[in-house]
Amino acid sequence: MTKEPTTAIYSTEQVKRARVAVATVFAVHGAVTGSFATRVPWIQDHAGVSAGQLGLALAFPAIGASITMPLAGRISHRFGARTALRGLLALWTLALILPALAPNLLTLCAVLFVYGATAGMSDVAMNALGVEVENRLDKSIMSGLHGMWSVGALIGSAAGTVAAHIGADARLHHTLAALVLTALGLLACRGVLDLHSEPDEEPPPRFTLPPRSALIIGAVGFCAVFAEGASLDWSAVYLRDILGSSDGVAAASTTAFALTMAVARLAGDRIVDRFGAVRTVRAGGVLATTGGLLVVLSPAPAAAMCGFGLLGLGVAVVVPLAFAAAGRSGPNPSQAIAGVATITYTSGLIAPSAIGSLAEATSLVVSFGVVTALAFGLVLGAGVLRAGDRKVTGSAVGGAPAKSPSGS
């Protein structure tokens, strides 16, 4: 079969269908994460690992993702964007089966490395296609796509909660979930844009340092993801230990934070289209900084919960806009997206432990003072996301086609 050239022009209706398809891909990707997270206690018991050993094992998904994400651009160059996404997403959904099978720490670390590697590569591929659809529609969609990821994660975690509640074996639960999600993912991938590199273009390197533009954009994403990870993992502990709230109220704060992020991402595209990426992130930084100050200075749980809610609203759209800016920041979109993804994954990895270490040396109040300072970094650094503000160019549907996101 002859490959469709990079220069293919899609109709408006085709690109709109591709938007629905890639949104479904994002939801499937999130559902895998949600399904896994709810069964971690079962996996810990099955593998017979301590809390400290589990913490070590849970570092391996981020390690696997960080090492292998640069390969996504080369795979897309070799096979085309649609085929690459289809294969990488299927590997990711099927990798959900592996952790529950691990009988000990060594195998758990190994399978979580694979789990993270497939997650990271499929993450880069789907974000690159999301940026391409956004370019062709000439309106913001990346925030909504990441909102769909959050929706998928909520659905996956809800199903996992039910499975855990009825005492289902995680091996059976994850096998069934993996098969369903693989089928949904393969079906969704049929509708994404089928883009290929030009025949004379050199493939991107297997491993390379992120371009300088990705490092700068990634620094803004680092601030947002650090605040997100700290709030998700430590908000309940903060309300219970610092403000003396009940366990129920403390848990509700974490749920509220996750829901505000999901809602903000789903609604964020309209705001970005109206005000642009820079002003949106700058305003988000103000909200997040205000929320951090409320948390640090709050004398009561209710005010702190409002603070965590503002933190969630403030950082929600930063990472989607960082990916969008990376995809427009140079001649190699996949390489830039992989660089930003690596930085944000690293931030998500170190945030929980960094907050805990700082809290042990000082206090949780001081830890969230650092989170507040990083939130203010969004105000100062928002200008680097100017590449995320689209300009009407030939990439819009019906004009000259945009460059393939396969990193060529």
Side-chain angles (χ1 to χ4, degrees), residues 26 50 62 70 104 116 147 149 163 178 205 209 241 243 257 277 279 311 396:
F26 270 76
S50 66
N104 53 50
W149 188 96
L209 292 175
D241 293 355
L243 299 175
F257 178 88
R279 283 193 287 177
L311 270 168

Side-chain angles (χ1 to χ4, degrees), residues 21 25 66 118 163 183 191 217 219 221 234 237 244 271 284 294 333 366 368 375-376 398 401:
V25 168
S66 299
T118 55
I217 293 168
W234 287 95
V237 178
I271 298 172
L294 262 179
V366 173
F368 276 93
F376 186 68

Side-chain angles (χ1 to χ4, degrees), residues 86-87 89-90 181-191:
R86 182 187 293 129
L89 185 66
L181 292 173
T182 300
L184 288 175
L186 291 175
L187 185 63
C189 286
R190 295 175 62 184

